[in-house]
Amino acid sequence: MPKTDIQSLIPDGMSPPFARYAHGVVDPLSGLVLTSGQLALDLDGSIPDGSEAQAALIFANIDRILAEGGTSKADVLRVNAFVTDRAHMAGYMAARDVWLADVPHLPASTLMIVSGFTKPEFLVEIEVLARMKQVG
């Protein structure tokens, strides 16, 4: 019988969630992997300077979450991103384009400008929706 329970994803190698939530979830019934919005917090508690460096760290962490969920960026369907100023759009987009450079399809994408996050040093937040790897 296939597993039908929702699986919480809290991978090693990245800072733990700020509160009682998971970095991502797998829903085996729908075949989807969803990430929470990710901020650029390194394991040592540091926050990189600049939107491109923050987005690069976030995408590296998203790779960890997706891998723990049994999938990868090759199966991402949608990217939602939030930046705190129009000035941060170019850095975010540069990191996104590097992250997606070897992906054979282009996911759907939304980019919004927001007033801020939990700390003023955070410039970018990213969440993704992916499908689980197809077996057989």
Side-chain angles (χ1 to χ4, degrees):
M1 174 175 275
K3 184 176 180 187
T4 58
D5 293 339
I6 295 170
Q7 175 189 355
S8 296
L9 304 173
I10 303 175
D12 293 332
M14 58 186 293
S15 292
F18 294 133
R20 187 164 164 71
Y21 65 91
H23 282 310
V25 296
V26 174
D27 176 19
L29 292 178
S30 68
L32 296 176
V33 178
L34 299 88
T35 72
S36 295
Q38 298 298 307
L39 295 165
L41 188 63
D42 216 336
L43 269 175
D44 64 4
S46 65
I47 300 169
D49 290 330
S51 58
E52 187 169 355
Q54 287 192 19
L57 174 59
I58 293 168
F59 282 123
N61 285 335
I62 287 172
D63 283 335
R64 289 178 178 91
I65 299 165
L66 294 174
E68 184 156 309
T71 193
S72 72
K73 63 185 173 185
D75 289 300
V76 168
L77 303 171
R78 180 173 193 78
V79 177
N80 291 329
F82 311 88
V83 297
T84 57
D85 192 280
R86 282 178 177 79
H88 304 307
M89 291 171 54
Y92 158 73
M93 290 187 291
R96 181 202 55 206
D97 291 351
V98 167
W99 187 65
L100 292 172
D102 60 347
V103 174
H105 72 281
L106 297 176
S109 181
T110 297
L111 175 58
M112 291 180 266
I113 299 167
V114 298
S115 62
F117 303 115
T118 56
K119 292 184 177 186
E121 299 88 350
F122 290 127
L123 307 175
V124 180
E125 183 169 339
I126 305 167
E127 63 186 25
V128 302
L129 169 69
R131 66 179 183 180
M132 292 170 46
K133 291 265 185 226
Q134 303 300 314
V135 179

